[in-house]
Amino acid sequence: MSETRIYDVPREWAEEAYVDNSRYQAMYEASIADPEAFWGEHGKRIGWFEPYTSVKNTRFAPDVSIRWYEDGTTNVAWNCVDRHVAEQGERTAIIWEGDDPSQSRHITYRELGTEVQRFANVLKGEGVRKGDRVTIYMPMIPEAAFAMLACARIGAVHSVVFGGFSPDSLAGRIADCTSTVVITADEGVRGGRRIPLKANVDAACAKTGGVASVIVIRRTGANVPMLAGRDHFYDDLAATVSDECPCEEMAAEDPLFILYTSGSTGKPKGVLHTTAGYLVYAAMTHQYVFDYHEGDIYWCTADVGWVTGHSYIVYGPLANGATTLMFEGVPNYPSVSRFWEVVDKHKVTIFYTAPTAIRALMGAGEEPVKQTSRTSLRLLGSVGEPINPEAWEWYHRVVGEHRCPIVDTWWQTETGGILITPLPGATRLKPGSATRPFFGIRPEIVDAEGKVQEGACEGNLVIADSWPGQMRTVYGDHQRFFETYFSAYKGKYFTGDGCRRDGDGYYWITGRVDDVINVSGHRMGTAEVESALVAHEKVSEAAVVGYPHDLKGQGIYAYVTLMAGEKGDDGLRRELVAWVRKEIGPIASPDLIQFAPGLPKTRSGKIMRRILRKIAEDEFSALGDTSTLADPAVVDDLIANRQNKK
Ligand code: WT7
């Protein structure tokens, strides 16, 4: 960390990008000095049915209320589709690249308009009305985007659930927002393997009541059981409806979507985003951070089941009239050159992926990259977790051939869009740093007592004022919203991340400071994995922590105490891994399981997670004070039986 290389902004970038450094400084200062004026101006980038007169009405204390553009009305689907059909209907909106390299599709804005309207009519036919929640459990096929936009068009609130989640996880999310309609596919296809999505929906519906309609897209044509009266193939419904459906006029603060995300305690929270502020922020960050210009072919490799897919595959790019690539597959199928082959095939100019993918591909060496041309690329992006400088350098040197700036974008499901990031024409890059705040963002670093730190410092990252893309509430639990994000530091949004600021004012995210771990860019609550483990009949107690993992960033380390008489062996390890996969999904699989006769607890019975974290991190010398433990001897046993990293 002491010696950091600095990459200057390439001259042509400073000249041709939307913003160079002096413009960044001026715009940033203006955005902080007068947020009303700044966002009042930038709100005009989207189209409105009724223009707004109020811009910002937000407070973080004594309670939380966040409203942007509140008297304006608009519609997200109108902005992402209709507006462009009128001006550039023949432009490609979505390039779909299938898991199988021989399959791809180009969908123009005009075609997108037809598909979205037809889908909207299908939803109406199934009884969906403004304000209703619709769960979307889909593979990465264009119909996922059609479904999201169809909901937006009629004012329904979508809840997209990542296709890798288990039936149990899906059931919990359906129940939490009381969706009566679920949209899915017969099967998904990833890396040559089939994913039984419809079967998972059936299993979820068996766990939770209330689903009246399941709409099934035919992806593979597999023969899936269909429950009469409840299940319908999309094709059959679509054949009976018109492809014209007017847009619902939505108030700026009407809900757009719910997305469930893990926290440090309890079940996943339904993060609620609303209409206008979210769209303004997603579109504006997409334009400036990726320096999106007409003619760019933009590819974000995320899944629409995560916020990155919402903001930077669907809403931001489409609001800007961009061509967005949607990829069904995985980075290493059929070969580890796949990403770069897709870049060449579709002449991708902007490529946005996660550090975990870069690290995995780095492991396969330079040859699979060098076999491809990649000359179309002009900008690279990173998201989801801190990118280690080695991976950054490899991405820059091997993938981008020193030509492409890298934007390391820090943000969260809660923030709706990117908050801390380089702007490629403005920001000198330091590998591993997300660099500087986007317009309107006021990051601060506070100590444990909430005292704001100045200059170069390290502490907890908070944001001092609202921005239009911020989440508005936890669905159905506004009190939890307040307590989770606004109670630790009065009047400030607490991110849950630790952060260092260097002498140049650059931000370096150091990772979560709460009981959330980041596995391959996927967020996981340790409490969720623990509760899955203790639900197993042989487990009496479990404590889960993260540990450094070469490929995943963090791995999942589980300490498990068994019921009396049970024997901990590799067979049971396998059984528990399979159990957690079934309970939550493959992304929650423990990497290492240590059977522990006892866990380190205080005399009042609280598990000392700090000690467990240190043991998992192999930092035995840094255990700190263990004298307050009820039974200090358990620590020696834990150290002696530490599981080895894979
Ligand atoms: C957490 C949010 C943002 C979309 C994907 C993840 C970590 C995210 C970075 C980055 C360092 C990062 C943070 C954050 N994170 N991007 N560029 N550098 N850390 O969204 O699932 O809500 O997770 O991901 O720890 O709090 P999410």
Side-chain angles (χ1 to χ4, degrees):
M1 284 276 197
S2 52
E3 192 212 8
T4 317
R5 292 188 65 177
I6 298 187
Y7 291 83
D8 285 328
V9 176
R11 164 122 51 92
E12 64 282 10
W13 274 86
E15 283 165 4
E16 283 160 32
Y18 289 109
V19 274
D20 62 9
N21 191 45
S22 60
R23 182 111 201 276
Y24 166 77
Q25 296 289 354
M27 277 177 81
Y28 182 73
E29 277 155 32
S31 73
I32 300 303
D34 191 349
E36 288 273 339
F38 183 85
W39 291 113
E41 185 57 33
H42 287 283
K44 294 181 200 153
R45 66 175 300 123
I46 67 167
W48 296 83
F49 297 166
E50 282 300 328
Y52 50 89
T53 62
S54 159
V55 175
K56 180 177 190 285
N57 178 10
T58 68
R59 62 171 183 272
F60 291 174
D63 55 0
V64 53
S65 169
I66 298 162
R67 306 183 66 81
W68 285 88
Y69 309 111
E70 60 186 321
D71 60 349
T73 66
T74 183
N75 181 287
V76 166
W78 186 85
N79 275 285
C80 291
V81 184
D82 304 50
R83 197 164 50 139
H84 311 306
V85 173
E87 290 164 16
Q88 43 159 51
E90 304 321 314
R91 179 182 297 176
T92 301
I94 297 175
I95 300 175
W96 178 73
E97 169 76 14
D99 186 59
D100 176 337
S102 70
Q103 296 185 349
S104 52
R105 258 177 95 180
H106 282 66
I107 298 152
T108 64
Y109 273 96
R110 188 176 317 285
E111 289 163 343
L112 180 64
T114 306
E115 296 288 357
V116 169
Q117 296 188 71
R118 194 181 289 132
F119 213 128
N121 283 328
V122 165
L123 292 177
K124 280 186 173 171
E126 292 305 287
V128 178
R129 299 289 173 264
K130 182 174 178 173
D132 291 350
R133 280 78 54 213
V134 172
T135 296
I136 300 178
Y137 183 67
M138 289 271 268
M140 283 289 288
I141 55 177
E143 287 77 4
F146 303 161
M148 292 162 74
L149 291 162
C151 287
R153 189 169 197 93
I154 63 173
V157 184
H158 60 69
S159 162
V160 183
V161 177
F162 174 56
F165 277 120
S166 68
D168 275 20
S169 298
L170 174 61
R173 286 156 169 80
I174 290 170
D176 185 80
C177 67
T178 57
S179 294
T180 57
V181 175
V182 178
I183 304 169
T184 191
D186 47 8
E187 294 177 314
V189 186
R190 267 169 68 93
R193 286 204 293 257
R194 306 253 175 135
I195 299 147
L197 295 174
K198 171 61 167 63
N200 289 352
V201 170
D202 291 342
C205 290
K207 296 228 164 220
T208 180
V211 175
S213 168
V214 177
I215 301 171
V216 184
I217 314 285
R218 282 193 172 97
R219 167 64 188 96
T220 64
N223 189 5
V224 292
M226 299 290 278
L227 187 66
R230 188 194 69 182
D231 302 349
H232 312 276
F233 282 112
Y234 176 75
D235 301 344
D236 299 339
L237 299 175
T240 67
V241 299
S242 127
D243 57 13
E244 275 175 40
C245 173
C247 287
E248 195 73 39
E249 180 172 352
M250 303 300 287
E253 286 297 342
D254 281 337
L256 177 64
F257 66 84
I258 299 166
L259 191 54
Y260 287 87
T261 193
S262 298
S264 45
T265 54
K267 54 182 177 122
K269 292 183 285 281
V271 168
L272 184 93
H273 283 286
T274 58
T275 297
Y278 169 80
L279 192 67
V280 168
Y281 198 76
M284 184 166 169
T285 46
H286 173 261
Q287 180 191 329
Y288 285 96
V289 174
F290 301 107
D291 195 57
Y292 167 75
H293 281 84
E294 206 180 306
D296 273 317
I297 306 288
Y298 164 87
W299 180 17
C300 165
T301 69
D303 190 284
V304 290
W306 310 112
V307 75
T308 311
H310 284 59
S311 300
Y312 299 114
I313 294 178
V314 179
Y315 291 121
L318 295 179
N320 290 337
T323 299
T324 181
L325 194 149
M326 212 174 160
F327 177 44
E328 186 181 31
V330 294
N332 58 359
Y333 177 84
S335 82
V336 288
S337 294
R338 185 68 191 278
F339 270 180
W340 326 122
E341 285 164 359
V342 175
V343 165
D344 286 351
K345 175 173 173 187
H346 298 293
K347 303 282 175 287
V348 171
T349 59
I350 304 170
F351 178 75
Y352 189 31
T353 196
T356 189
I358 300 298
R359 286 193 299 266
L361 296 174
M362 212 171 124
E366 299 180 15
E367 205 33 51
V369 189
K370 290 188 166 157
Q371 283 166 17
T372 62
S373 139
R374 287 158 290 107
T375 45
S376 56
L377 285 176
R378 64 183 197 97
L379 179 67
L380 303 173
S382 172
V383 61
E385 51 176 318
I387 181 164
N388 46 310
E390 304 71 46
W392 195 104
E393 296 283 358
W394 189 86
Y395 197 20
H396 191 257
R397 175 175 60 82
V398 182
V399 177
E401 296 178 343
H402 305 286
R403 179 182 74 242
C404 307
I406 297 177
V407 289
D408 174 2
T409 62
W410 174 85
W411 59 297
Q412 311 177 296
T413 307
E414 293 89 335
T415 70
I418 295 164
L419 297 199
I420 301 183
T421 179
L423 297 186
T427 314
R428 302 169 80 200
L429 304 175
K430 299 186 191 183
S433 171
T435 78
R436 305 188 293 190
F438 190 73
F439 307 127
I441 304 304
R442 288 178 49 195
E444 286 179 357
I445 294 182
V446 297
D447 68 11
E449 281 69 51
K451 190 170 175 311
V452 178
Q453 310 291 294
E454 303 295 339
C457 58
E458 186 162 348
N460 291 343
L461 180 64
V462 301
I463 312 292
D465 198 2
S466 185
W467 63 98
Q470 185 172 24
M471 75 183 280
R472 302 300 197 256
T473 194
V474 170
Y475 185 78
D477 198 347
H478 197 63
Q479 188 57 29
R480 189 173 177 200
F481 180 49
F482 179 77
E483 276 160 19
T484 309
Y485 305 103
F486 303 94
S487 67
Y489 304 105
K490 198 164 168 286
K492 287 164 189 177
Y493 168 76
F494 177 43
T495 63
D497 277 324
C499 185
R500 184 166 73 81
R501 186 172 53 218
D502 70 17
D504 294 332
Y506 275 42
Y507 292 83
W508 301 73
I509 307 297
T510 52
R512 302 289 304 198
V513 295
D514 51 11
D515 290 322
V516 169
I517 52 184
N518 192 323
V519 185
S520 301
H522 300 316
R523 192 161 146 182
M524 205 70 251
T526 52
E528 280 171 76
V529 186
E530 287 163 7
S531 74
L533 283 166
V534 297
H536 190 280
E537 57 177 13
K538 294 179 185 166
V539 174
S540 116
E541 203 167 26
V544 168
V545 298
Y547 72 97
H549 187 289
D550 289 346
L551 289 181
K552 300 180 178 186
Q554 281 188 297
I556 300 180
Y557 195 110
Y559 298 88
V560 172
T561 306
L562 295 174
M563 295 292 189
E566 296 297 343
K567 187 167 163 298
D569 56 17
D570 280 346
L572 184 52
R573 281 198 179 87
R574 279 192 294 276
E575 192 177 322
L576 293 178
V577 168
W579 173 264
V580 174
R581 291 171 75 94
K582 182 186 80 63
E583 292 277 302
I584 305 176
I587 59 171
S589 307
D591 296 279
L592 295 172
I593 295 179
Q594 174 169 357
F595 295 111
L599 296 174
K601 291 184 187 167
T602 61
R603 286 186 199 104
S604 60
K606 194 174 165 333
I607 295 178
M608 296 201 48
R609 312 176 60 86
R610 175 179 55 83
I611 293 176
L612 295 176
R613 247 180 250 128
K614 289 292 175 204
I615 295 173
E617 286 166 6
D618 256 344
E619 291 188 21
F620 304 145
S621 56
L623 292 184
D625 184 11
T626 57
S627 64
T628 56
L629 289 176
D631 178 8
V634 298
V635 172
D636 298 329
D637 175 80
L638 290 171
I639 291 175
N641 292 298
R642 189 198 179 279
Q643 297 299 296
N644 282 318
K645 288 181 200 172
K646 279 180 195 151

